[in-house]
Amino acid sequence: MSVSGTFQMQYNNLAQRFDRGEGESALSSLQQLLRNNRSQALHVAQIKYLLALWHWEHNYFKKALRYIKQALIRLPQNQPQYVLALLLLGHIQNSLANYSAAIKAFWSALQIAIQDDNRKAIAQAYLGIGEYYLINNEAHRALNCQRNAYEIAKESNDERTLFKTILYLLQNLNNQSLNDEISPVLNDGWRLSKLIHIEQAWLSELQHHTGVHYLALGNIELAEEYLRLSLATNQQENLLWGQTQNRLALAKVLVQQGQLPQAAAMLESTILIASSFDQGYLQQIICQQLSDVRQQEGNYAAALAAHETYHQLAVDYQIKVKRSLKQLSNKQLIELDRRQELINYQQNQIQLQRKNEILQNQLNNACFDALTHCPNQRELKLNPPNAQWMYLFSIDNLASVNASAGFVAGDELLKDFSQQLRELSLQLNAKCYRWSGFQFMLLSNHAAPENLIDILNTHFSVCTAQLSLISLAYDATATHFNAQPCWHSPAGSDHAQS
């Protein structure tokens, strides 16, 4: 194996360990790999990217920024990892409250991804742009970006990217209490979690969103169960953002349980955790929630103090956001608005497509019998076949079966007979319809074969239904057929009649 091939194998093994949440134990091996490949710029860039990712996930943002910049300097723009490095740069800059630098990174990544038709990277870039809108208090626009990312990720055939978009989307849907939309997205997340390997941090986040959803639905017991499962993982992995989110939600659970002092204590300790990494965004949310809890306790002095802290944090945070976003040019802001209009158009198209699919399904259901799944008279009228000959079968003992054995037995008789009739339709080159409650019709382009009676006797020799058949030239305008039966099934008589 070549030197490059050996490196790639070692690097991929380490990357998989990071994905499995084993980054702490893999760090020393990664550092050794870096020392062994100092002279290979591309290899160094790949390692620096992985180091940046680990440090960002563990809240070492300044180190992460240094590593990702070193990676980008060495990565050629035509390398697939270049766009991934740009995306990571955007997330790191967001964590450092460098919001204009973050949106520029996401925007650059989006342009490259669109040019390369890289659906995975397009989806992730829209997630990053959505973060910009959240920071700028435009939750609706953020939600449009996240919905768009979710739909694009479905097309990417990359299940990890799809899972990531699900987590981002759930966060915003829960914040806006869009419960009807949350349930199918949650189900999609749990389905994927059973199909692919996901790291504990992602599973913990899915548990958190599930708990928050149950809390919104009023199921306090399940909400607490999922939130505490998530908190335990986040504490074990030392994931401070996740712990903060868990504790905010658990404080609401405690309020619902009437444990106001415990809820206040949890929020106060959460402020300390958030202050170690947060730029003010989370702390203002915590203080606002703490003020509400103190007010419910009747401790108005503490409520006022928490509210004043919230107000100061909110003002400082908005100043910080505006100062950062002023670095964006008018041209960039106009392009973002144009891109948002495009997303709105795409979302409207998706909604229209879904409505059309629902209407088409309703139409299909109206044209097919629900029990036997055979097309019915409505389908026959809407899409009349080019038929010459008709076979109209009647189940003569259906009423007596319903009366003596019940309608369940009657339904089973209908399903069994319709299956046998479909098999016969292949032999007679015909199409099968349910004509009425006890009648089925076969339509064929060909006249009845001379040995029709033998075919029927053989085919229905073990049929429990008592059948009679009218066979004649097909008249599309007829609604009733008064001709005499030309055949009775072996179960309906001692012998066939010609």
Side-chain angles (χ1 to χ4, degrees), residues 81 83 178 217 240 361 467 488:
Q81 201 163 14
V83 71
L178 298 173
L217 296 178
L240 301 183
N361 286 335
L467 308 173
H488 291 277

Side-chain angles (χ1 to χ4, degrees), residues 22 71 106 113 122 213 272 282 399 404 411 431 438 443 476 482 487:
E22 301 169 7
F106 289 129
I122 292 172
H213 182 51
L272 295 175
L282 283 175
S404 61
D411 287 348
K431 186 171 182 180
F438 67 99
L443 295 179
N482 297 318
W487 172 83

Side-chain angles (χ1 to χ4, degrees), residues 251-262:
K252 292 180 180 178
V253 169
L254 290 170
V255 169
Q256 290 293 321
Q257 294 171 338
Q259 302 182 56
L260 296 177
Q262 292 88 337

Side-chain angles (χ1 to χ4, degrees), residues 18-19 63 82 132 161 169 237 352 413 423 441 457:
F18 275 79
D19 282 345
K63 277 190 175 182
Y82 184 81
Y132 158 79
T161 298
L169 182 55
E237 300 291 326
L352 284 173
L413 180 66
E423 294 168 2
M441 181 182 288
N457 284 335

